[in-house]
Amino acid sequence: MAELFARDTLSSQRWRRRLVPNQPFIIGRTTLAFPVAWDKQVSSKHAQLTWNGAQLEVRQFQEAVNPIFFNSQPESTFWLKPGQHFVIGHTEFLLENTEPSFPLPHRSPKTEVTIHPNEIRKAAFRKTPGRIELLTEMVSKMTSCNDHEQLVTITLQQLLEGITHSNDVVLLEQRTRKDKTRFVPIAWDSRDGLSTPGGSSQSLIEHATQSEMCVLHVWSNDPMPSGSDYTQVAGHDWAMCIPLKFQLNKSGALYLSGRRAQLKGNLTEVELLQDDIKFAELVGSTFANLSRNLALERRQSQLNQFFTPGLLEGISSDLESYLSPREADLVILFCDLRGFSAATEEHFDRLIPYLQQTSETLSTITSAILAEQGVIGDFHGDAVMGFWGWPKDTLQQPLGALNAAQKIIRTLAGTDFLCCEKPPQAGIGIAAGRAVAGMIGSRDQVKVTAFGPPVNLAARIEGLTKPLGVPLLLDEAAKQFLQNDPSIPADHFVRLGNFRLAGLKNPTQIYTVQPDKLAWLSEYMQALACFEAGQWAQAIELLQQVPVSFGPRTLLLNQIAEHHGQSPAGWDGVIERRTK
């Protein structure tokens, strides 16, 4: 595992961050994940770095004022190997490729102290000078964090600062694999800021986490007999473990170890270390609470991308159950933008403006869905899927999908986009039926989606909007559901034909919405009936009375022309679509 370790050579400020292969990041004075706020010689955004699994590429931004020194020479682009470092201002950046040791068996302690966290909080410090001030400073620093890694860094530093005879501090996380549970080091720090903590005591961690108690072990300084199966961390003769629940109910622990405290006054070594337990528990509980708050804020921010606030109001504390995948009667809306793929190929030199335009247009679509109490499902490139009927069991907004679709069409047609000669166009397909909807993913990453027959059908129906030249199409089930609303007139929907869509076995009756009374609509409906009955000569005569601009007219005439004006043997009136 590779880490970047940054330290201020003029103070004790520092951090270390785990590196993800092939994931670029930026270091600078104001960057969120890799901040160097203590050094004014570091620009707001100074350099972009990328770890490829073997080396770290460093590229300085042109706008960065001060140079980056690598091997004592100013360099703007270079590669760093583990063990090497570079300098900006008075800050040193060291690339490390090390792993801390996993918990190991230790010999039984000479002294063990086990205290319930509630009892620790009730007890007063025996030796208070400096503790209260440090705790006040700690709370101020920790509550100002808006990033979990930054919170972890400050927590570990505060523990080392507050417990002066501690050498190492490790944050462990419980992980289960193949029915075997173990505690894995996920972050650590040491007194010198550079060395990697040694192995922690497996028995101490197990005792603390299983009992949910704060546990202190003090070992004897006597040397172990040769051939012993137990380990001893060089120079460390005490350790403590504080069990934690951090982020969204992750189980873990804080583990501190160091050299025996020098006794002062009438305090015994255990009494002095009990003060340290209290300090560590206060820091640990503060960290755990703030960590959960950050995780909840992040989860809420993620959920706000998918839900309108009204859908999340009144949720019980069991959010996982409320949003868990389950079957429901859904109305699915699938909206795809027209012409953006071709435009990016034609104007590849203007990808950034087109990306910005696509983002703005997608925001218009998602806003319309959320405004009608819908849920944002997957994004498929420049397409958006929204749905109604979940997480609430009943469809609270029966016309939500239709209203959202009409708003999208109206808004896009009237939007002035600088990068296109014409306003953006969208095709929208709506289908209804039984499907599965829910939130899937990990505690930290959220994805809300729906899957099932109506989802596939809505996407296929959307694909039909292009050959039909009609921006909004629905299936029979969606039309019937929407007609249950008393405000919808009986003639609001117009049937366009019976289609067997690509990849689907059963035919689908396709409808659109009649925005205005159309004088020629009866001629089209008669023509469609003649077409489906195989009376194609009469269908052609009637279609001549329908405006050329009406796309379904052209599609029917093309179908007739493909068969040279004669309906084929076994004709059932179903139009086959072989492409999506």
Side-chain angles (χ1 to χ4, degrees):
M1 182 190 68
E3 288 193 322
L4 185 65
F5 176 65
R7 69 183 185 95
D8 183 11
T9 58
L10 303 181
S11 70
S12 62
Q13 297 187 82
R14 61 180 182 265
W15 52 248
R16 60 174 67 244
R17 295 284 190 273
R18 189 171 298 187
L19 304 183
V20 179
N22 303 315
Q23 183 173 307
F25 61 93
I26 296 174
I27 58 172
R29 204 171 61 254
T30 60
T31 54
L32 183 62
F34 292 80
V36 193
W38 59 72
D39 194 336
K40 293 184 179 180
Q41 296 184 59
V42 177
S43 299
S44 297
K45 293 182 178 180
H46 206 102
Q48 177 174 290
L49 288 71
T50 306
W51 169 248
N52 66 6
Q55 297 182 90
L56 183 68
E57 182 186 25
V58 180
R59 289 182 175 272
Q60 181 175 338
F61 292 122
Q62 290 184 353
E63 56 269 27
V65 177
N66 293 306
I68 301 177
F69 287 92
F70 176 58
N71 290 333
S72 303
Q73 297 293 325
E75 301 284 355
S76 58
T77 301
F78 56 93
W79 290 89
L80 203 69
K81 295 180 180 179
Q84 294 182 315
H85 72 278
F86 62 90
V87 176
I88 307 174
H90 48 81
T91 302
E92 181 183 78
F93 299 85
L94 173 65
L95 178 63
E96 296 181 303
N97 198 1
T98 56
E99 290 277 3
S101 301
F102 285 98
L104 299 168
H106 282 63
R107 58 177 172 170
S108 299
K110 182 185 73 174
T111 305
E112 178 179 283
V113 177
T114 302
I115 312 176
H116 194 280
N118 289 337
E119 295 300 319
I120 293 177
R121 293 163 197 160
K122 292 177 184 177
F125 281 117
R126 290 178 167 84
K127 186 175 181 297
T128 58
R131 294 280 194 183
I132 304 301
E133 293 80 358
L134 191 58
L135 285 170
T136 303
E137 179 185 356
M138 174 204 74
V139 172
S140 176
K141 287 182 178 180
M142 294 174 71
T143 53
S144 65
C145 292
N146 52 13
D147 173 76
H148 189 261
E149 283 196 347
Q150 184 183 10
L151 178 62
V152 170
T153 297
I154 291 176
T155 299
L156 301 185
Q157 289 178 356
Q158 292 297 306
L159 286 167
L160 289 172
E161 187 175 350
I163 304 176
T164 55
H165 45 275
S166 61
N167 283 41
D168 294 334
V169 56
V170 183
L171 176 63
L172 301 130
E173 180 182 320
Q174 185 182 30
R175 295 182 183 173
T176 302
R177 186 175 182 182
K178 296 181 179 179
D179 299 326
K180 189 174 183 180
T181 299
R182 66 174 183 172
F183 283 84
V184 178
I186 60 172
W188 58 88
D189 204 348
S190 58
R191 178 66 53 189
D192 60 11
L194 294 172
S195 59
T196 301
S200 47
S201 168
Q202 181 177 309
S203 59
L204 171 54
I205 295 170
E206 290 177 352
H207 185 182
T209 54
Q210 291 173 8
S211 65
E212 297 185 350
M213 298 282 193
C214 301
V215 181
L216 165 70
H217 279 183
V218 179
W219 287 281
S220 169
N221 284 324
D222 297 335
M224 291 182 295
S226 59
S228 171
D229 293 331
Y230 295 93
T231 63
Q232 181 179 23
V233 179
H236 291 193
D237 53 18
W238 68 269
M240 67 175 67
C241 187
I242 312 294
L244 297 175
K245 292 282 188 183
F246 60 98
Q247 289 195 329
L248 292 179
N249 291 322
K250 285 185 178 179
S251 295
L254 280 171
Y255 184 95
L256 292 96
S257 61
R259 303 187 181 191
R260 193 81 54 84
Q262 184 178 357
L263 301 181
K264 295 183 180 180
N266 296 322
L267 293 180
T268 66
E269 63 181 17
V270 171
E271 287 174 334
L272 185 57
L273 286 170
Q274 279 183 267
D275 265 9
D276 296 333
I277 291 180
K278 179 175 178 63
F279 181 82
E281 198 283 328
L282 284 171
V283 175
S285 60
T286 303
F287 160 74
N289 291 332
L290 292 175
S291 174
R292 286 194 294 269
N293 287 342
L294 284 173
L296 288 171
E297 288 175 4
R298 183 180 180 186
R299 169 61 61 86
Q300 187 65 41
S301 176
Q302 290 176 322
L303 292 177
N304 286 341
Q305 301 175 48
F306 307 108
F307 301 99
T308 185
L311 279 176
L312 295 178
E313 290 178 359
I315 297 179
S316 67
S317 58
D318 191 4
L319 183 65
E320 303 291 336
S321 297
Y322 182 77
L323 301 180
S324 62
R326 59 179 179 274
E327 284 193 16
D329 292 318
L330 302 180
V331 175
I332 309 291
L333 180 152
F334 195 91
C335 180
D336 188 26
L337 300 180
R338 294 278 183 250
F340 277 89
S341 297
T344 54
E345 290 183 9
E346 183 179 354
H347 303 286
F348 63 89
D349 57 332
R350 302 182 64 198
L351 290 180
I352 295 300
Y354 276 109
L355 177 61
Q356 292 172 343
Q357 179 187 350
T358 304
S359 179
E360 291 175 15
T361 308
L362 291 176
S363 296
T364 298
I365 297 170
T366 56
S367 296
I369 294 171
L370 293 175
E372 293 295 332
Q373 302 297 303
V375 176
I376 303 299
D378 287 343
F379 287 84
H380 302 268
D382 52 9
V384 180
M385 185 263 285
F387 57 93
W388 287 256
W390 178 92
K392 295 184 179 180
D393 294 332
T394 57
L395 289 160
Q396 299 293 322
Q397 298 287 332
L399 298 183
L402 183 59
N403 291 340
Q406 293 176 322
K407 183 176 181 180
I408 291 167
I409 293 169
R410 288 194 306 270
T411 304
L412 293 185
T415 302
D416 179 20
F417 285 90
L418 300 177
C419 299
C420 277
E421 296 176 359
K422 298 179 181 180
Q425 301 293 321
I428 299 175
I430 299 177
R434 196 74 174 172
V436 174
M439 182 183 71
I440 61 175
S442 66
R443 290 189 177 102
D444 299 323
Q445 296 295 324
V446 178
K447 181 180 181 182
V448 173
T449 191
F451 45 94
V455 179
N456 299 329
L457 183 56
R460 296 292 191 275
I461 293 173
E462 181 281 318
L464 192 59
T465 61
K466 192 171 184 179
L468 282 176
V470 178
L472 172 59
L473 300 174
L474 309 89
D475 76 331
E476 178 82 27
K479 187 221 41 161
Q480 290 181 354
F481 174 78
L482 293 168
Q483 279 187 326
N484 291 330
D485 191 286
S487 66
I488 297 293
D491 61 349
H492 191 64
F493 299 101
V494 178
R495 192 173 73 88
L496 299 182
N498 199 14
F499 294 82
R500 183 173 287 108
L501 302 174
L504 301 180
K505 184 181 296 184
N506 297 321
T508 303
Q509 293 285 356
I510 298 296
Y511 296 81
T512 190
V513 174
Q514 179 183 196
D516 301 303
K517 297 295 181 181
L518 304 174
W520 44 264
L521 183 60
S522 61
E523 283 76 10
Y524 175 77
M525 298 307 298
Q526 293 177 49
L528 178 61
C530 291
F531 172 81
E532 292 178 334
Q535 302 167 2
W536 285 6
Q538 295 94 317
I540 292 173
E541 289 183 13
L542 290 165
L543 288 172
Q544 300 303 324
Q545 304 176 49
V546 178
V548 177
S549 59
F550 188 56
R553 168 195 185 274
T554 304
L555 187 141
L556 292 184
L557 289 173
N558 288 341
Q559 287 287 315
I560 294 172
E562 281 184 18
H563 294 87
H564 307 288
Q566 297 292 325
S567 58
W571 171 250
D572 59 0
V574 177
I575 302 173
E576 299 282 347
R577 295 297 302 173
R578 296 179 177 83
T579 58
K580 296 180 181 179

